[in-house]
Amino acid sequence: MEIERQDPLLSEDEWHRTRHPEAFSASYAPPRRRRRPRLIAAGVAGAAIVVCAALVASIVFSTPSLPGGSVSLLGAKLRWLLPVDADTHFAVVNTGTEDYALARTTDAGRRWVAQQLPDQVNRGLGEYEPVLLAAHSVQIGAYVTTDDGRSWTMGSPSALGPRMPPLKLGDPISTVPAGWPLQPYCTQSCEASAVDPRTGVQHLISTLTGVRPDTDPTNAIHDPSGTLWVKTDNRVYVSRDAGKSWAAREIAYDDTFSFAANGRYAYALTDLYQRGTSVLRTLDGGRSWQTVASDLQSPVGDTCVLANGDLLAVVRDQDTTALSISRDHGSTFRPAARGVHPGQLLRATDGTCVVQDRWQKAYWVVTGDGGLRPLTVPAS
């Protein structure tokens, strides 16, 4: 494994499983005159065995699917927004005292379709936040939907306890399949993993053994170009070959920094306290990095990168916040919008940036030129 600017990582473990099915054989040489009756009996018995085997298989191996059900959003309150792209979003909404639904829009919020969460899934929201896995897949605790909430399937629960990873780990992988999001797998410490969007099962990335990612899942990114990014306390790891090899870039250890990536662009903004902000950037997918002094003097919160490389940042000043944008890759920033008080920047699966306004309880989709387009959401 190729690692730059740090001590070598631990060796990759090889995990192999083999199966040795047993072979069964039987011989039968009946007298000629009694051949037909015995063949008929054998055929009936064989059919019975096949039917029984099918029944047993259906009982042992099938996972019951829990149906959702269409529900009105009248009076609903938004709890979580999960952006897929500029027009497609999921929303988890409260439809009653303890009832929740999963809503989806494909036209930037002009129309939402909601499915009531089954009771078992509903209870999972007490311990776990919803996680977007793919364009049609959402996970809540041990349950996953792959059809926009119309049905939910339970995976194999872990035995780690409340607020710990809800499902058993899958086998480690050395290559991350396309479309699998990255997530930290955290127990007493965190490890880097990729998630199968069909099942919600996490698989540790064996080529990152020993690397401790942030607990913040937004700092582990599988971006649309296929590049993988993982942030730790003082490094950024990047892979351009689906996780087979990684390069590491060290960041200042004593200072906090925020991280954002999209395609070939990535930025690490380091808060230098009274000395302003330093920006470490790569414009070629992590092959080379440059440090530039920024004119930002206020602490920086969330950041997000547009497809063209422009950088958005939530700038904090005493009790208020503002949205700033850099069009020269982090050297200078200017206000991105007046009258918007950003609380959080959300990153959609395709890299689109979404701004949450913490005062108006509104959401804005950032357009390609850095403008803001309102997103209509269920009442919040």
Side-chain angles (χ1 to χ4, degrees), residues 10-28:
L10 300 179
S11 300
E12 175 185 354
D13 294 332
E14 297 296 335
W15 296 69
H16 299 285
R17 295 182 177 178
T18 59
R19 296 180 179 177
H20 302 283
E22 298 179 0
F24 295 88
S25 63
S27 59
Y28 175 56

Side-chain angles (χ1 to χ4, degrees), residues 22 26 90 98-99 136 189 193 208 217 286 291 296 347 360 376:
E22 298 179 0
F90 283 104
E98 296 181 352
D99 296 325
H136 301 278
S189 61
S193 79
L208 276 182
T291 300
L296 280 178
R347 182 184 180 279
Q360 302 178 35
T376 303

Side-chain angles (χ1 to χ4, degrees), residues 132-137 173 175-182 194-199 221-228 242 349:
L132 178 65
L133 299 179
H136 301 278
S137 300
I173 57 175
T175 302
V176 178
W180 284 32
L182 303 186
V195 187
D196 186 338
R198 301 163 299 179
T199 64
I221 300 169
H222 189 169
D223 72 30
S225 71
T227 306
L228 308 177
T349 303

Side-chain angles (χ1 to χ4, degrees), residues 26-48:
S27 59
Y28 175 56
R32 184 178 298 274
R33 64 179 181 178
R34 299 187 63 184
R35 182 179 181 88
R36 183 176 300 276
R38 291 199 178 186
L39 283 175
I40 293 174
V44 172

Side-chain angles (χ1 to χ4, degrees), residues 204-235:
L204 298 183
I205 303 172
S206 60
T207 50
L208 276 182
T209 300
V211 171
R212 301 292 178 240
D214 276 3
T215 57
D216 185 351
T218 64
N219 287 327
I221 300 169
H222 189 169
D223 72 30
S225 71
T227 306
L228 308 177
W229 307 87
V230 174
K231 173 187 175 295
T232 70
D233 284 344
N234 63 333
R235 287 184 176 89

Side-chain angles (χ1 to χ4, degrees), residues 74-77 79 93-101 116 122 125:
L74 184 64
K77 295 182 179 179
R79 289 295 178 258
V93 296
N94 185 204
T95 58
T97 306
E98 296 181 352
D99 296 325
Y100 289 84
Q116 192 74 46
N122 206 63
L125 286 172

Side-chain angles (χ1 to χ4, degrees), residues 129-148:
E129 293 190 0
V131 178
L132 178 65
L133 299 179
H136 301 278
S137 300
V138 173
Q139 180 177 8
I140 297 176
Y143 293 89
V144 173
T145 178
T146 57
D147 56 10
D148 306 327

